[in-house]
Amino acid sequence: MSLPSLVPHRGRRYAVTARILSAVVFSFLCCLSIGIPLAVLPGYVHNDLGYSTVLAGLAVSAQYLATLLSRPHAGRMADAMGPKRTVVAGLIVLALSGLFLALGALAPRMPVLSLALILMSRLGLGFAESWVSTGAITWGIGGIGGEHTARVISWNGIATYGGIALGAPLGVALSHHFGFLSLGVVGFLLGAVALPFAMMKARVVPSHGERLPFKSVLSRVSAYGIGLALGSIGFGSLSTFVALYYASRGWQDAALSLSLFGGCFIGIRLIFGNAIDKFGGYRVAIVSLAVECLGLLLLWFGTTPHASLAGAALTGSGFALVFPALGVEAVSRVSNHNRGAALGAYSVFLDVALGLTGPVGGWIAGLYDYPAIFLLASGASLAAVFLSFALYMRHGRPPRTETADARA
């Protein structure tokens, strides 16, 4: 149900934001749980359990595999069962994920059992992420109306990246002071504490209508998803290889570049959150991807740490609005009762892009050194610019009759 039109404009805007935050807070708590073990888990599997670095990496990537596989199902759940049930189910799995991680920490002398429990925890965390995130977005949109889709997606992104950014240092501090077991305990508590609040929040009645087959939904949003995937390569390249890039140059403060990226990402979303409503998703995507391309070119060409920092800042500024800008146009290609499925299908392209960037980028670095990764990513962003422009020419321009009426 939309907000009453009698509410004053400013008060209405704050009320809309409050409703959005009441939904995306669950994404924040979920991603906080994701970030907490992120920096500690590989070292625990490798050093404490004695497994290879390959298995240590698998322990982390298992979550992303589960997220990828569960995205379509999460969208269908949100459409058919309603976003509230989807979020509640995700929070239950989130709490269980923390419990399995804690149990894995209690069995260090049985490394096979410990690793199995950790992998179960990571798989559960992947399912929880897709259910909570997709459910929270559809819950937010359903509560305030489809005209605020871009704002809901933008705020959900802030909650997602903010949760991971806060979770990683928190996890390191918890592990240092209380041991690895504390990571699982906190993860369990985050899911358990959030659950009653989700159950008390007003539900949104699922819209009724024909449910399109997932293949049909996928075909409608695939062009937008490809644009998202091309634009996400820059983010994946920066987050995965910037530390190695700095080390190969003998530079310090690689973490500062990631902080600048994240700060600019969140800042742009906060400052220009209404740009998509004002100018349309296509135009914002074109400008955003062009800025990201420039930032990645700076990272490729940069010969000093300052140039690389500027490149990271530009990359974060450009990437900030890519997901919501193309996402709002992708969702508009389906009816309201297929909105969750569209979001799930659209997000799959992000998961695939981030999953492939690591191995492909590592192969390129082995052949041509680390700057070549950013050159490839800039080319991908430029291709996304052309794709977004083509989509705008096909779907985004007003009909000629409207243009003629406006001139008249």
Side-chain angles (χ1 to χ4, degrees):
M1 184 175 68
S2 300
L3 292 171
S5 58
L6 296 177
V7 178
H9 177 71
R10 182 170 299 218
R12 174 182 168 84
R13 181 177 178 182
Y14 289 151
V16 168
T17 301
R19 287 198 179 188
I20 294 173
L21 293 178
S22 71
V24 303
V25 66
F26 300 112
S27 290
F28 172 78
L29 294 174
C30 180
C31 289
L32 186 63
S33 298
I34 291 171
I36 284 174
L38 203 56
V40 181
L41 184 61
Y44 180 80
V45 173
H46 181 55
N47 298 321
D48 294 74
L49 299 184
Y51 286 103
S52 67
T53 54
V54 174
L55 285 177
L58 176 63
V60 175
S61 61
Q63 176 216 317
Y64 303 114
L65 175 63
T67 301
L68 173 63
L69 294 176
S70 59
R71 287 283 192 193
H73 184 249
R76 280 285 174 239
M77 282 181 64
D79 288 332
M81 299 171 54
K84 179 174 181 175
R85 290 186 179 181
T86 306
V87 171
V88 166
L91 291 174
I92 292 173
V93 177
L94 180 66
L96 291 174
S97 171
L99 180 62
F100 278 116
L101 186 63
L103 292 174
L106 291 173
R109 295 185 179 181
M110 295 181 285
V112 174
L113 176 61
S114 180
L115 181 62
L117 289 167
I118 289 172
L119 288 174
M120 290 177 66
S121 169
R122 300 298 294 173
L123 291 171
L125 197 57
F127 278 92
E129 180 191 2
S130 60
W131 289 344
V132 171
S133 180
T134 304
I137 293 175
T138 53
W139 207 348
I141 295 173
I144 60 175
E147 66 271 19
H148 298 290
T149 297
R151 291 183 64 188
V152 176
I153 296 177
S154 292
W155 274 108
N156 191 77
I158 293 172
T160 297
Y161 290 98
I164 294 175
L166 289 175
L170 176 60
V172 173
L174 286 171
S175 179
H176 178 73
H177 292 290
F178 305 106
F180 187 76
L181 174 65
S182 65
L183 308 186
V185 173
V186 172
F188 170 77
L189 290 175
L190 285 172
V193 170
L195 186 59
F197 290 97
M199 296 180 71
M200 289 187 293
K201 181 174 165 60
R203 65 189 289 262
V204 173
V205 179
S207 57
H208 299 288
E210 181 187 1
R211 307 291 180 191
L212 293 174
F214 181 73
K215 288 184 178 180
S216 178
V217 175
L218 184 64
S219 67
R220 296 190 183 196
V221 305
S222 60
Y224 305 90
I226 292 171
L228 172 65
L230 291 170
S232 301
I233 292 174
F235 165 61
S237 300
L238 183 67
S239 60
T240 304
F241 296 104
V242 71
L244 295 173
Y245 170 60
Y246 267 60
S248 69
R249 296 292 182 269
W251 298 341
Q252 302 297 319
D253 297 327
L256 180 58
S257 65
L258 290 173
S259 298
L260 274 175
F261 174 92
C264 291
F265 178 95
I266 293 176
I268 291 295
R269 283 206 172 183
L270 289 173
I271 297 171
F272 297 103
N274 294 324
I276 298 172
D277 293 331
K278 185 175 182 180
F279 300 106
Y282 295 112
R283 293 177 180 178
V284 172
I286 291 168
V287 173
S288 297
L289 288 163
V291 172
E292 181 185 357
C293 180
L294 290 175
L296 291 165
L297 285 174
L298 261 180
L299 282 165
W300 165 64
F301 190 70
T303 56
T304 65
H306 292 93
S308 296
L309 288 175
L314 276 176
T315 302
S317 299
F319 182 64
L321 294 177
V322 171
F323 188 101
L326 291 175
V328 71
E329 301 295 350
V331 170
S332 70
R333 306 303 298 172
V334 300
S335 56
N336 288 343
H337 40 272
N338 290 285
R339 192 160 45 199
L343 283 169
Y346 175 68
S347 300
V348 162
F349 289 88
L350 173 64
D351 298 327
V352 172
L354 296 182
L356 292 177
T357 297
V360 173
W363 175 69
I364 291 173
L367 291 176
Y368 304 106
D369 203 4
Y370 293 104
I373 301 174
F374 301 117
L375 179 61
L376 172 69
S378 68
S381 296
L382 184 61
V385 170
F386 289 116
L387 176 59
S388 299
F389 182 75
L391 289 171
Y392 170 70
M393 296 297 290
R394 183 173 182 179
H395 302 294
R397 292 189 302 170
R400 292 184 179 181
T401 54
E402 292 184 10
T403 304
D405 291 341
R407 289 175 179 174

